Amino acid sequence: MVLINMIDVDYIMSLIDWNQSSEKQKTGIQMAKNIQSINVFLQPCNKNYNKNVWDNCAQILSERTDDELSFYFEELMCWLQDMNWPGAFCIFDRLKKMLDVPGFQYSYNVCMKCAKALDDEAWINNLEMLKEEN
């Protein structure tokens, strides 16, 4: 009989909630390193896990490789719609390091087109800041 070490994503989410102790949050972040399907950390939004986990979700995502994150460029760029959202600056900084990764420019163009269609000036400005020189 083979036992599979399954990690419960809901349990991790409960640990990374900003209402938990810093030790529990660190434990949750550490456990999240073993989760392969990282899409669960892309701005979760349900009755239990929403903005209360976004800071830690952003940290978890920012530690992933370019290859892992490149599948989620558009979702990550959507996080920049409001820089007041928890984790937005962390995601911004991580995206800033990925400007030359294949697929970035395409996703950037898709998000910029969407932001302009919505007439979302804040999002447009935040996306433009990604491309600004430091």
Side-chain angles (χ1 to χ4, degrees), residues 33-95:
K33 292 180 180 181
N34 297 313
I35 299 294
Q36 292 181 7
S37 298
I38 62 173
N39 61 318
V40 298
F41 301 113
L42 292 163
Q43 289 185 308
C45 198
N46 66 41
K47 69 177 185 153
N48 296 318
Y49 310 118
N50 44 67
K51 289 183 181 179
N52 58 318
V53 298
W54 287 8
D55 267 328
N56 286 321
C57 285
Q59 183 178 339
I60 290 163
L61 291 168
S62 71
E63 294 175 5
R64 294 301 180 118
T65 66
D66 289 356
D67 286 341
E68 289 174 290
L69 294 176
S70 65
F71 291 98
Y72 304 103
F73 278 137
E74 290 171 33
E75 291 88 345
L76 293 167
M77 289 180 200
C78 285
W79 210 316
L80 307 182
Q81 287 178 287
D82 187 337
M83 296 306 287
N84 291 311
W85 285 342
F89 282 98
C90 182
I91 295 299
F92 179 89
D93 291 342
R94 184 63 178 93
L95 284 170

Side-chain angles (χ1 to χ4, degrees), residues 5-15 31 35 49:
N5 184 13
M6 303 264 311
I7 298 174
D8 185 352
V9 173
D10 286 325
Y11 178 63
I12 291 173
M13 288 296 187
S14 73
L15 291 174
M31 290 176 73
I35 299 294
Y49 310 118

